[in-house]
């Protein structure tokens, strides 16, 4: 059967993608941040996943106010980087895995998670920046990718508990796939950030570290935390962190924390990365 070999929690700060795309990752501003990444990159290179399931959010690129699905699974053979206003990022086309993705759709829907199915979906910084963080700038992405988009932009987003339960259903789906795929699940977005309004620039690293501690050791408890705590402590866009609970739900109850960092500033938000092993 297919096997989940690890999980990654990763912010999706667009400036990180722009720094790489514009050849600035080695300059004095960016080098200290990019110097934090090698342990995570070495881990995923050693794990040799065949497929990454990337739980992420679209920012009105593939979707819009006309259509706001809560959970969307991408089943296409490929996904193009989205044009977010400055042209698409110059990163490789994302190659999908239709066979596994359709299996996930069937398993999740029959398991009572009503996924929207996307045969065509451009992917924005929410998906491509975490790939850049973990894989750098390859000619082609080294794994297939199944996008799982979550609405966290238009309220109400799904609860942390619903996300955690979806992760567990994802685990059952992967466990029942008759392939030999090695799978890494990414939960992306966050950490604390408030992009607009009076509290713009809010960074609460103490709360972010506590979120990571709970994610590792008390995920079921973290899943009970209501949206209003994310908003109050981590800013309106901090609610993106519920997506990390989908990743965590797909992992073993007990996981090994391989790596973590919380880096500020790469923008006016908190940039977090955590790597969990299903040891
Ligand atoms: C930033 C973070 C986001 O999640 C986003 O969608 C846009 C910008 C930022 O850190 O600047
Ligand atoms: Fe975002």
């Amino acid at each position: 059967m297919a096997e989940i070999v690890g999980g990654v929690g990763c912010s999706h700060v667009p400036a990180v993608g722009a720094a790489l795309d514009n050849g600035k990752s080695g300059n004095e501003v960016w080098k200290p941040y990019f110097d934090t990444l090698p342990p995570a990159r070495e881990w995923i290179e050693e794990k040799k996943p065949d497929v990454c399931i990337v739980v992420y959010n679209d920012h009105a690129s593939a979707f819009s106010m006309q259509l706001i699905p809560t959970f969307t699974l991408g089943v296409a053979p490929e996904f193009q980087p989205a044009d977010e206003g400055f042209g698409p990022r110059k990163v490789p086309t994302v190659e999908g895995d239709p066979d596994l993705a359709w299996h996930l759709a069937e398993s999740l829907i029959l398991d009572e998670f009503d996924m929207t199915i996307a045969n065509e979906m451009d992917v924005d910084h929410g998906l491509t920046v975490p790939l850049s963080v973990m894989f750098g700038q390859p000619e082609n992405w080294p794994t297939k990718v199944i996008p799982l988009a979550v609405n966290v932009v238009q309220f109400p987003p799904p609860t942390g508990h619903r996300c955690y339960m979806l992760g567990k259903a994802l685990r059952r789906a992967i466990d029942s796939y008759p392939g030999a795929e090695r799978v890494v699940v990414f939960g992306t977005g966050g950490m604390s950030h408030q992009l607009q309004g009076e509290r713009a620039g809010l960074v609460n690293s103490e709360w972010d570290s506590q979120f990571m501690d709970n994610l590792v050791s008390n995920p079921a408890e973290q899943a009970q935390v209501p949206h209003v705590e994310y908003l109050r402590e981590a800013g309106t866009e901090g609610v993106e962190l519920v997506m990390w609970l989908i990743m965590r739900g797909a992992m073993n109850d007990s996981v090994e924390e391989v790596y973590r960092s919380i880096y500020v500033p790469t923008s006016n938000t908190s940039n977090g990365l955590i790597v969990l092993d299903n040891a």
Side-chain angles (χ1 to χ4, degrees), residues 75-80 93-98 119-121:
V75 299
E78 58 180 45
F79 305 90
Q80 298 300 332
T93 295
V94 173
E95 191 194 337
D97 185 338
N119 282 306
E120 193 180 331
M121 182 165 71

Side-chain angles (χ1 to χ4, degrees), residues 51-272:
V51 187
C52 293
I53 297 175
V54 180
V55 180
Y56 78 107
N57 70 291
D58 178 78
H59 302 74
S61 302
F63 304 123
S64 66
M65 294 307 281
Q66 274 78 45
L67 189 63
I68 308 168
T70 298
F71 296 121
T72 304
L73 196 62
V75 299
E78 58 180 45
F79 305 90
Q80 298 300 332
D83 184 347
E84 299 179 61
F86 299 93
R89 284 191 66 204
K90 289 187 178 51
V91 291
T93 295
V94 173
E95 191 194 337
D97 185 338
D99 288 341
L100 177 54
W102 274 107
H103 169 81
L104 298 181
E106 179 173 341
S107 179
L108 291 173
I109 291 167
L110 298 182
D111 211 354
E112 302 182 341
F113 282 86
D114 307 316
M115 310 301 287
T116 295
I117 294 171
N119 282 306
E120 193 180 331
M121 182 165 71
D122 289 354
V123 287
D124 70 12
H125 69 271
L127 182 131
T128 62
V129 168
L131 292 183
S132 299
V133 168
M134 292 304 290
F135 296 122
Q137 294 175 287
E139 188 90 355
N140 296 110
W141 297 120
T143 75
K144 294 180 175 182
V145 172
I146 297 178
L148 197 172
V150 181
N151 166 48
V152 288
V153 169
Q154 171 62 59
F155 277 76
T159 62
H161 182 253
R162 186 68 175 155
C163 289
Y164 188 53
M165 291 297 111
L166 175 59
K168 290 187 175 291
L170 192 59
R171 172 62 176 269
R172 291 190 286 274
I174 291 163
D175 281 353
S176 68
Y177 188 62
E181 282 78 359
R182 294 168 62 78
V183 179
V184 168
V185 181
F186 284 45
T188 67
M191 302 203 79
S192 53
H193 64 306
Q194 172 83 39
L195 295 176
Q196 300 172 61
E198 277 175 29
R199 296 201 306 162
L202 174 146
V203 167
N204 186 348
S205 297
E206 208 175 304
W207 192 90
D208 290 338
S209 330
Q210 184 199 308
F211 175 86
M212 282 186 171
D213 290 346
N214 287 342
L215 187 80
V216 175
S217 307
N218 301 308
E221 213 170 289
Q222 183 61 39
Q224 297 299 333
V225 170
H227 289 144
V228 69
E229 179 174 327
Y230 289 83
L231 305 193
R232 187 180 62 232
E233 301 296 333
T236 358
E237 284 76 31
V239 82
E240 287 179 343
L241 283 171
V242 295
M243 295 185 289
W244 295 33
L245 286 165
I246 298 178
M247 173 275 282
R248 185 64 184 88
M251 300 282 292
N252 291 350
D253 287 345
S254 167
V255 291
E256 183 198 338
E257 179 178 331
V258 176
Y259 179 72
R260 95 159 64 174
S261 78
I262 295 177
Y263 191 96
V264 180
T266 48
S267 66
N268 65 351
T269 71
S270 170
N271 192 342

